[in-house]
Amino acid sequence: MTDRNGATPLLEMRGINTHYGAVHILKDVELAIYPGELVCLLGGNASGKSTTLKTLLGMVTPTTGDVVLDGEVVNGKPTSYLVERGVTMVPENRRLFKRLSVKENLELGAYLRTDRDGIQRDLERVYSMFPRVYERLSQKSGTLSGGEQQMVAMGRALMSNPRVLLMDEPSMGLAPALVQTNFELIEQIHQEGVAIFMVEQNANMALSIADRGWVLQTGRVVLDDTADALMANPELRASYLGEA
Amino acid sequence: MTTAMRHKAAQKTGVDQFLTFLRVVLSFFIITGLVMFVLQQINPDNPIAARINPDATGLTADQFEGLVISGLSQGAMYGLIALGYSMVYGVLGFINFAHGEVFMVGAMTGMIVSNKLDEAGAWESNFLLSLLFIIVVAIVCSTATAVIMERVAYRPLRGAPRLIPLITSIGVSFLIQNISVVLLGPGAKSYPTLPDWLADKRSILFFEIEGTKIMVLVVAAISMAGLWFLVERTKTGKAMRAVAEDKEIASLMGIDVNKTIVTTFAVGGAMAGVAGILWGILFRSVIHTTGFLPGIKAFSAAVVGGIGNLGGAMAGGLSLGSAESLAPLMVLEPWGIGGVSQLKDAVAFLVLIFVLLVRPTGLFGERLSSEDRA
Ligand SMILES: Nc1ncnc2c1ncn2[C@@H]1O[C@H](COP(=O)(O)OP(=O)(O)OP(=O)(O)O)[C@@H](O)[C@H]1O
Ligand SMILES: [Mg+2]
């Protein structure tokens, strides 16, 4: 693993193997996210990207290996333990609570927090970042457009005041024009000091804003490099960037 | 997609045709019955009504009012029980058929404690306080029953196919009934007599209502308001709604899903406990099988209102209660069906069948998309 001038990684996977029943999904996965970085995980369908994120958050328990947060092994800890310590996720397909209002979705993002002032400050931060969300606070979130839902999902995640934000295919299902805006928003969140770990199929876009990246193939990390090097990698260009 | 669906809708199967037939027949039966009832009210000697059922007596305004009030007060009790079915269905997706027994536990504890209070003389001298006390005790016991049931019988089955906890709940139901027989014996037991002033009629707006029924309606309304506040206005309620919708994401928010499920059982149990006391006030007699029929009817009420929908459970309870009180005389009697007042229970289930035929999602149910159905 690339050691970054002796800094401790914020979140790490060490020799992770994850199974669903008898099916072996993640195979000896090693990766590390450092504070304030923007990194991405690329890979085709069913390569295990979502499983990687769920394993990091304790939503899926690995069979062997360790998930490490700030140097502490957190295997078997409930998801809330990680959320309380600054890890959260914008899940695949956004997964808003559709029958709840936009405001309630945002409030649930701050479920574990007790600092009222901080919550209020973060609500206002979300409103200023997504004015559209502010206009629709009392609307049921299931009635929002796809783009608006994406904003609420990001806002909900930010409401936990994360240090690292995991994003599972944030551009999935968005119109091309929105994909661009969406990546700009991700960069903006990153510039506020939040580390971002993004899973994407849109490799070009993801690599253009990321510092480093990994490529996952049937549950194994096959490439681990800087974004520029990955961008130039002929193998990757062939398989993910649509160049034959 | 839409074209495929339209195509499918166009191909009516035999089952569809049969259902349409049933819808038409039942609607005809109900509407014609009502029309004949109205005709007869206007003119008791009109030829149509006289021909079909010459013995039909119709209703006086007082009788009608009495039936509406007793229908609503029983309906309010069904509604309180229905909330528990609906909430548990909302979070776990199965019908807890032992919920009727949670209600019975409330009615039984109310009976035991009220008799003790009666022996001590408090029941007569301080009725309202005694009532409050038995409500609290019933809430505690019913809640405990529901919570223990979840922990012992249903939690180990989490993740199993839904049919399995459902069948288990039928077993739990028999178990609780039998425990009751072992502890309290098989016979029916009664509540102490209610104070006389409670039975007096009082006029509220345009109605003359018996004190007992006013009390039942008031207690039910307060309980429902409390539940509404909990579910819609508190953090716990928000967590309950989140867990009902998506457990995985609820846990991602940091919500303790197991704790929230226990809370849901507890709150449903508390409502059933209150309903148990209302039963005691209305009927004054309890037996170990007391939970069965009100339980099944409350389940029907939850389905009629749209299962998983709390407002629907209440509305379903009130509609079912009113229907079973009014329909025998307003729909069945004009058709010349005899012994109508004994057909109350049949009417309750007829209402269930009719609503399911006409509006399968219930009165207030949301149409489940294939995505929500899971
Ligand atoms: N809960 C589960 N139970 C059993 N198998 C699962 C489960 N979740 C995922 N899988 C399987 O694990 C494999 C990896 O799934 P995963 O969701 O991690 O892939 P992914 O890389 O995120 O794919 P996509 O790009 O389509 O989102 C798939 O073959 C999937 O069918
Ligand atoms: Mg995925």
Side-chain angles (χ1 to χ4, degrees):
Chain A
M1 189 96 321
T2 33
D3 206 318
R4 320 201 85 216
N5 324 323
T8 331
L10 207 166
L11 192 58
E12 265 182 281
M13 268 187 163
R14 293 185 190 152
I16 287 283
N17 284 277
T18 299
H19 292 74
Y20 285 126
V23 191
H24 197 174
I25 307 291
L26 298 185
K27 295 155 193 160
D28 304 318
V29 175
E30 301 263 343
L31 48 83
I33 305 149
Y34 291 84
E37 277 197 305
L38 200 170
V39 288
C40 68
L41 179 68
L42 307 174
N45 283 117
S47 55
K49 305 183 298 295
S50 300
T51 306
T52 307
L53 297 187
K54 287 181 185 174
T55 308
L56 279 171
L57 268 162
M59 297 165 87
V60 169
T61 316
T63 350
T64 59
D66 290 329
V67 175
V68 183
L69 174 68
D70 298 320
E72 178 198 2
V73 175
V74 292
N75 298 353
K77 295 263 199 252
T79 306
S80 57
Y81 187 87
L82 285 108
V83 177
E84 260 179 323
R85 284 160 186 74
V87 189
T88 196
M89 170 163 81
V90 178
E92 191 168 8
N93 293 321
R94 306 176 261 277
R95 301 271 288 273
L96 295 180
F97 298 106
K98 295 199 181 82
R99 295 198 285 261
L100 272 57
S101 72
V102 169
K103 180 83 187 288
E104 288 173 325
N105 270 276
L106 294 177
E107 286 165 350
L108 280 169
Y111 185 79
L112 291 172
R113 293 173 65 182
T114 46
D115 54 327
R116 283 170 174 270
D117 299 345
I119 295 174
Q120 192 54 38
R121 206 177 44 242
D122 282 339
L123 266 178
E124 267 142 35
R125 176 166 71 134
V126 169
Y127 297 157
S128 69
M129 195 176 236
F130 312 109
R132 277 289 272 284
V133 168
Y134 183 66
E135 288 163 21
R136 281 153 206 278
L137 284 181
S138 56
Q139 196 171 326
K140 288 236 187 316
S141 73
T143 62
L144 297 174
S145 77
E148 289 162 348
Q149 291 196 17
Q150 175 66 20
M151 294 178 201
V152 177
M154 279 158 81
R156 182 176 69 178
L158 289 175
M159 285 309 294
S160 71
N161 194 19
R163 290 182 294 147
V164 54
L165 181 57
L166 315 183
M167 303 193 89
D168 200 344
E169 308 208 27
S171 58
M172 186 201 273
L174 295 183
L178 279 179
V179 172
Q180 181 63 38
T181 330
N182 197 36
F183 276 101
E184 281 161 15
L185 285 169
I186 294 171
E187 277 197 289
Q188 190 186 334
I189 295 169
H190 174 228
Q191 269 149 23
E192 290 180 15
V194 182
I196 305 238
F197 181 40
M198 182 171 45
V199 158
E200 259 302 340
Q201 306 240 15
N202 192 335
N204 240 335
M205 234 6 162
L207 288 173
S208 71
I209 62 169
D211 305 321
R212 296 184 299 129
W214 298 270
V215 173
L216 203 59
Q217 216 167 57
T218 56
R220 218 176 266 287
V221 174
V222 291
L223 289 169
D224 168 1
D225 219 328
T226 64
D228 292 340
L230 287 174
M231 199 76 116
N233 185 306
E235 231 179 289
L236 183 74
R237 296 191 76 81
S239 41
Y240 295 108
L241 304 184
E243 294 176 13
Chain B
M1 185 64 192
T2 40
T3 40
M5 268 155 54
R6 233 175 271 137
H7 185 64
K8 204 173 159 204
Q11 290 181 321
K12 286 236 165 185
T13 61
V15 175
D16 288 331
Q17 281 168 358
F18 178 67
L19 288 180
T20 309
F21 171 75
L22 277 185
R23 279 177 203 125
V24 171
V25 169
L26 265 180
S27 308
F28 173 78
F29 180 77
I30 292 169
I31 293 168
T32 314
L34 279 174
V35 168
M36 287 194 295
F37 172 78
V38 171
L39 286 179
Q40 195 195 17
Q41 289 300 109
I42 298 168
N43 171 14
D45 301 321
N46 80 76
I48 311 171
R51 191 179 177 124
I52 298 184
N53 184 8
D55 301 331
T57 47
L59 284 173
T60 65
D62 276 355
Q63 285 173 322
F64 183 75
E65 199 182 293
L67 287 176
V68 170
I69 300 296
S70 65
L72 287 178
S73 49
Q74 275 188 55
M77 182 186 78
Y78 294 150
L80 284 179
I81 311 173
L83 289 166
Y85 282 102
S86 218
M87 292 195 334
V88 166
Y89 183 85
V91 293
L92 290 178
F94 83 95
I95 303 295
N96 174 18
F97 277 114
H99 188 62
E101 272 56 48
V102 176
F103 157 78
M104 182 272 284
V105 167
M108 278 290 181
T109 43
M111 181 277 298
I112 295 170
V113 178
S114 60
N115 278 310
K116 287 268 183 292
L117 287 170
D118 193 37
E119 279 165 32
W123 186 255
E124 277 288 332
S125 62
N126 217 334
F127 177 71
L128 287 182
L129 216 60
S130 305
L131 180 73
L132 191 66
F133 183 69
I134 62 170
I135 289 180
V136 172
V137 176
I139 288 180
V140 170
C141 294
S142 287
T143 303
T145 309
V147 168
I148 293 170
M149 193 189 283
E150 190 275 337
R151 191 59 257 256
V152 175
Y154 304 139
R155 194 176 303 178
L157 300 175
R158 197 83 53 71
R162 282 172 201 194
L163 198 57
I164 291 175
L166 186 127
I167 292 168
T168 305
S169 75
I170 296 174
V172 172
S173 162
F174 284 123
L175 179 72
I176 296 178
Q177 287 185 18
N178 283 295
I179 291 176
S180 164
V181 172
V182 169
L183 294 179
L184 302 164
K189 292 144 207 74
S190 21
Y191 275 62
T193 24
L194 300 172
D196 293 334
W197 57 266
L198 194 62
D200 289 348
K201 289 205 170 192
R202 269 146 242 265
S203 50
I204 291 187
L205 295 175
F206 307 105
F207 301 101
E208 291 275 306
I209 309 178
E210 246 174 88
T212 335
K213 293 190 174 138
I214 299 179
M215 177 148 290
V216 166
L217 290 169
V218 168
V219 171
I222 293 173
S223 315
M224 280 161 212
L227 180 84
W228 177 86
F229 182 82
L230 175 78
V231 172
E232 294 293 330
R233 287 285 177 274
T234 66
K235 199 171 174 180
T236 311
K238 218 184 301 164
M240 282 164 67
R241 285 180 288 141
V243 168
E245 204 172 322
D246 190 334
K247 286 183 198 47
E248 197 180 28
I249 301 303
S251 76
L252 176 63
M253 300 293 109
I255 296 169
D256 185 334
V257 173
N258 272 332
K259 211 173 100 191
T260 308
I261 291 173
V262 172
T263 310
T264 308
F265 270 87
V267 174
M271 292 293 134
V274 175
I277 296 300
L278 298 188
W279 170 276
I281 292 177
L282 286 171
F283 302 104
R284 292 202 31 245
S285 166
V286 253
I287 189 166
H288 60 280
T289 51
T290 288
F292 178 70
L293 212 50
I296 296 284
K297 284 187 191 165
F299 161 65
S300 309
V303 175
V304 164
I307 191 117
N309 179 316
L310 299 191
M314 274 324 304
L318 292 174
S319 333
L320 197 77
S322 318
E324 70 169 18
S325 168
L326 290 172
L329 285 159
M330 289 177 63
V331 179
L332 300 185
E333 197 180 43
W335 277 106
I337 296 171
V340 284
S341 48
Q342 273 123 57
L343 289 173
K344 243 179 91 178
D345 299 338
V347 167
F349 302 114
L350 211 62
V351 169
L352 173 68
I353 293 170
F354 183 66
V355 170
L356 287 181
L357 275 172
V358 178
R359 214 183 128 79
T361 53
L363 299 175
F364 298 93
E366 295 159 49
R367 191 151 295 256
L368 295 177
S369 69
S370 46
E371 166 192 21
D372 288 340
R373 206 175 276 140

